[in-house]
Amino acid sequence: MRISLLCAGLAAGSLLAHQAAGAGSTSGWSTSEDKAICNPIFSKLDQVEKSILMAQAVLPGQAAGKEAKQDQPKDADEDHLTNQLSAMLQACSYDGKAMKVDAKAMKTSTEAEGAAAVGRIMRYTGLPQNFQIMEGDVPNAAAIIVMGQDGIPKRVIAYNRDFMGAVARATGDSDWAGASILAHEIGHHLSGHTLMPGGSQPPLELEADKFSGFVLFKMGASLPQAEKAIATLIPDADGATHPGRKKRLAAVEAGWQQSCEQQREKCGNGMVVAAAGPRDPAVPKQVEPQSVVQIPAPVGAPSGNTAMSPNGGGAMPMPDIPGPADIDVPSTSSSASIDSASMVDHVPKLAADATPSKFDRFVYDEVGVFDPQVREKLQRTAFQFAAAANVEIVTIVAKGLQGREPDEYALDVMRQLRVGKLDVGNGAVLVVSPGSKQVGVALGAGLLVQYESPDVLKGNLQSFLKVIEGGGRSQSASSLIANASYRIMRDTKSLEWFLRYEGLDQLNAAGIKQREERQKTDAPFEPATDPTFRKLLRVAATVISKNPGMADRKLMVNEPRSRNVGAAVHVRTADGKDVVLYVNPSVPALMPVPLEEGRRYAFIARTTPLKTGASQLDLISYDRLD
């Protein structure tokens, strides 16, 4: 989800932050020139991450929206910005500040301590790496977005070679302080914090802090070691973009405790921790993140590592997804008792006020029902599918539902463990609770609109319970649980997850052009090739009514859709266009801010087949703009 915040990470509020320099500005806030550079970079990153191949740079003067153009200073014309892009990589921090980074100075180095540290951390996350690691002329370490002369924006963790030494001297710690800072930055990228310039979101800083504490426990840090950097470097008071020391220490502790509780019964803040295994056996070696990623191709050449096809295929090849008739034969050791220390997981305690933090595995088995080979295959395939198709599917066998209904439990897991990207709603959580003989499913809004009901996915999960109830062995039947995940993979592997249109005008223009072409050739309507059918777009609009009248002939609210998909909401764009959004209850439940009448939002929605009255769209996510 696109929300504004500063992501210079821990270092941004630290002793080291005073060294940072913006693009010729001493202001702590984004300037009009920063926006002229950064707005198109963020927009293009949004497209690249949703699988558009970028082979040529779009100049900032061409790509920026109307508001950005109005803010541009006179000297920030197309030639001026073109010259800047020709001479530099543009690195944008998450508050929209543009940093000048010399392209020649941005390089990978196997000798750099920062690159090696990032590689070590990634091996404990259990997730695909979605960023590159570079050494450059930056003040310390930062999660940034850079654009090369090939016009492709990239997620990057950039670091200064002297950074780790400076942190070690400041904290008196040679390892854990630097690792916690880098883990914080990694947390921003893995959580998909793709952000607009010009604002802040302290809650997402706490998410990254919680992720840092979670990973550092797995690496072997005690709680004081995990907290050392914040305790030493961060001021007491809350800042405009970053919370103060007390809140951030609490977030690190929450992540550390959650990680500890997944592996043992009792956790104390002074305990000495043995590091967990650096790689889950189910994470395949061929897709294990590497400590150093090749930097982009030279100027003028598209980057093969980051370019993705419109159909969702990225640098990672699509895995071999089992079909509905495929049968996994249980391992010969299935009858043996399960080693609870290595095979049984623990889902964290769910709470509405808990700070979300990215999950670290695609299979959680609190009961130990999975056959080891079935589990390993599912974990491996889900990992590869997330890397290739950008869809995250988490499967849970729950010991209990923590006092919730099964679907409610699944939805709360999705929110708290940040399954999928909120902006396009491409996450899924599947739950089986053998003890209560219940199953649950939660789908992100982007997946939910692909099914009439999530109940269609519950068949395999319920089949597992029927086999167990009939006296069958759980491990022998565990492939039935995995098949539910594989079905989602088969159903969604070819879906588009990028924003095809920035506004109704672009969508309507594409529709008119397509209709004119069909009329010339008498070609029939083909949903698979139609450029507007079930596509994603962004619409900036104000909420007029959350309960529009069904009799309003101007809007033409579709009663069956409001009943089956979600309640209709009437919104209006700045130029007076009315839109009807169908809002599934799960969408507001996953968003960090409520949907309120009279407020202006950036909505991400998918087109519907409905063509009468106002534009009719299925809501996927939203960001508040005022």
Side-chain angles (χ1 to χ4, degrees):
M1 180 175 186
R2 293 169 64 90
I3 307 172
S4 303
L5 87 157
L6 174 65
C7 182
L10 291 165
S14 74
L15 322 163
L16 309 173
H18 70 278
Q19 303 172 27
S25 171
T26 58
S27 169
W29 301 96
S30 56
T31 65
S32 56
E33 186 170 356
D34 293 329
K35 292 179 181 179
I37 297 171
C38 290
N39 281 355
I41 294 178
F42 282 120
S43 177
K44 288 182 66 180
L45 179 79
D46 200 31
Q47 296 174 352
V48 169
E49 290 194 330
K50 295 172 181 63
S51 306
I52 291 182
L53 173 63
M54 290 293 176
Q56 219 172 18
V58 177
L59 300 176
Q62 297 171 327
K66 294 181 179 179
E67 293 181 4
K69 289 181 179 178
Q70 293 173 354
D71 290 339
Q72 288 181 11
K74 293 181 179 179
D75 62 344
D77 57 17
E78 183 173 294
D79 291 338
H80 173 69
L81 294 176
T82 302
N83 290 335
Q84 285 189 337
L85 285 171
S86 297
M88 296 289 199
L89 287 172
Q90 294 298 335
C92 296
S93 65
Y94 286 116
D95 67 341
K97 291 297 296 178
M99 294 190 299
K100 292 183 178 179
V101 181
D102 189 342
K104 295 180 180 179
M106 292 291 286
K107 60 183 180 180
T108 58
S109 173
T110 56
E111 298 177 357
E113 186 175 354
V118 169
R120 288 194 298 270
I121 293 167
M122 278 306 303
R123 291 187 175 92
Y124 289 88
T125 66
L127 299 170
Q129 182 171 313
N130 66 343
F131 58 89
Q132 296 182 343
I133 309 159
M134 294 183 180
E135 180 185 351
D137 186 17
V138 294
N140 34 68
I144 59 177
I145 295 167
V146 299
M147 179 179 282
Q149 293 175 346
D150 57 7
I152 300 177
K154 301 167 183 68
R155 289 183 176 275
V156 168
I157 288 183
Y159 59 89
N160 187 299
R161 181 180 287 270
D162 298 326
F163 171 59
M164 291 299 175
V167 171
R169 290 190 296 272
T171 62
D173 191 311
S174 61
D175 286 321
W176 295 117
S180 68
I181 293 174
L182 290 174
H184 174 101
E185 307 301 347
I186 290 170
H188 278 303
H189 280 324
L190 295 184
S191 298
H193 294 167
T194 308
L195 310 160
M196 292 179 179
S200 65
Q201 264 294 351
L204 296 190
E205 285 300 321
L206 298 179
E207 283 192 28
D209 287 331
K210 185 175 180 180
F211 179 86
S212 173
F214 184 93
V215 172
L216 259 67
F217 174 87
K218 295 179 70 175
M219 294 178 69
S222 67
L223 181 56
Q225 289 170 330
E227 294 179 326
K228 184 66 173 180
I230 287 179
T232 305
L233 304 176
I234 301 302
D236 289 327
D238 290 344
T241 58
H242 284 57
R245 180 187 302 156
K246 183 177 180 180
K247 293 178 181 177
R248 299 188 67 177
L249 288 174
V252 172
E253 181 177 1
W256 190 94
Q257 289 284 353
Q258 177 179 312
S259 185
C260 180
E261 290 166 2
Q262 283 191 354
Q263 300 184 46
R264 59 189 71 213
E265 294 295 327
K266 297 181 180 180
C267 300
N269 61 14
M271 67 185 299
V272 177
V273 184
R279 180 176 59 84
D280 189 298
V283 177
K285 292 182 179 180
Q286 65 267 28
V287 296
E288 182 182 357
Q290 301 299 309
S291 60
V292 177
V293 180
Q294 290 297 320
I295 59 174
V299 173
S303 169
N305 288 338
T306 57
M308 300 181 184
S309 72
N311 290 327
M316 175 60 59
M318 188 66 67
D320 183 13
I321 302 170
D326 292 341
I327 300 175
D328 287 322
V329 179
S331 59
T332 56
S333 60
S334 294
S335 59
S337 62
I338 297 178
D339 180 357
S340 60
S342 61
M343 295 297 293
V344 177
D345 310 291
H346 298 283
V347 175
K349 183 179 180 180
L350 303 175
D353 59 350
T355 298
S357 182
K358 194 70 178 177
F359 66 95
D360 71 333
R361 65 199 71 185
F362 292 90
V363 180
Y364 290 81
D365 185 358
E366 292 188 309
V367 182
V369 304
F370 264 105
D371 173 81
Q373 290 185 3
V374 174
R375 175 191 171 118
E376 179 176 345
K377 180 177 179 179
L378 176 58
Q379 169 72 17
R380 179 178 64 251
T381 306
F383 182 105
Q384 292 175 321
F385 188 74
N390 202 24
V391 175
E392 297 175 350
I393 306 168
V394 171
T395 302
I396 299 174
V397 180
K399 189 174 182 178
L401 299 176
Q402 302 188 25
R404 292 163 168 80
E405 292 299 315
D407 288 347
E408 179 188 9
Y409 175 89
L411 185 63
D412 286 348
V413 168
M414 176 177 286
R415 184 200 71 84
Q416 192 162 320
L417 298 189
R418 281 288 183 252
V419 181
K421 291 186 177 180
L422 287 182
D423 54 358
V424 293
N426 54 356
V429 176
L430 306 173
V431 177
V432 177
S433 176
S436 62
K437 300 180 181 179
Q438 293 177 295
V439 301
V441 174
L443 300 176
L447 291 178
L448 187 61
V449 298
Q450 302 304 127
Y451 301 94
E452 292 184 3
S453 167
D455 289 345
V456 301
L457 298 171
K458 295 180 180 179
N460 291 108
L461 306 179
Q462 291 167 336
S463 295
F464 168 80
L465 293 179
K466 291 179 181 178
V467 170
I468 302 307
E469 188 176 359
R473 294 177 58 254
S474 61
Q475 290 193 352
S476 299
S478 59
S479 61
L480 293 172
I481 302 174
N483 285 343
S485 179
Y486 295 143
R487 173 172 178 173
I488 297 177
M489 295 181 199
R490 294 192 299 269
D491 291 344
T492 62
K493 65 180 181 180
S494 60
L495 291 179
E496 284 187 357
W497 295 108
F498 63 90
L499 294 177
R500 184 177 283 262
Y501 302 110
E502 287 285 346
L504 290 173
D505 289 343
Q506 289 185 12
L507 173 69
N508 293 334
I512 292 172
K513 181 179 179 181
Q514 179 71 1
R515 286 193 295 272
E516 290 175 348
E517 292 177 353
R518 287 207 312 269
Q519 289 174 357
K520 291 178 183 178
T521 60
D522 290 328
F525 171 72
E526 293 289 348
T529 58
D530 188 89
T532 65
F533 183 76
R534 307 301 287 145
K535 306 305 182 188
L536 291 173
L537 74 155
R538 193 195 322 270
V539 178
T542 299
V543 176
I544 303 301
S545 173
K546 295 176 66 176
N547 188 29
M550 290 288 181
D552 190 327
R553 305 297 296 176
K554 185 177 181 181
L555 297 180
M556 294 293 289
V557 174
N558 185 274
E559 190 278 332
R561 197 165 199 87
S562 66
R563 177 166 24 91
N564 297 324
V565 175
V569 173
H570 175 203
V571 304
R572 182 173 294 150
T573 63
D575 58 356
K577 292 184 176 68
D578 289 308
V579 179
V580 176
L581 299 174
Y582 296 94
V583 184
N584 187 275
S586 67
V587 176
L590 292 170
M591 297 297 108
V593 293
L595 197 60
E596 300 173 317
E597 292 183 354
R599 289 198 175 274
R600 187 167 174 263
Y601 299 84
F603 297 103
I604 292 179
R606 197 176 286 276
T607 60
T608 73
L610 303 175
K611 302 299 182 184
T612 58
S615 297
Q616 314 273 318
L617 306 172
D618 291 331
L619 182 62
I620 305 299
S621 69
Y622 57 83
D623 271 320
R624 202 168 73 190
L625 297 177
D626 60 7

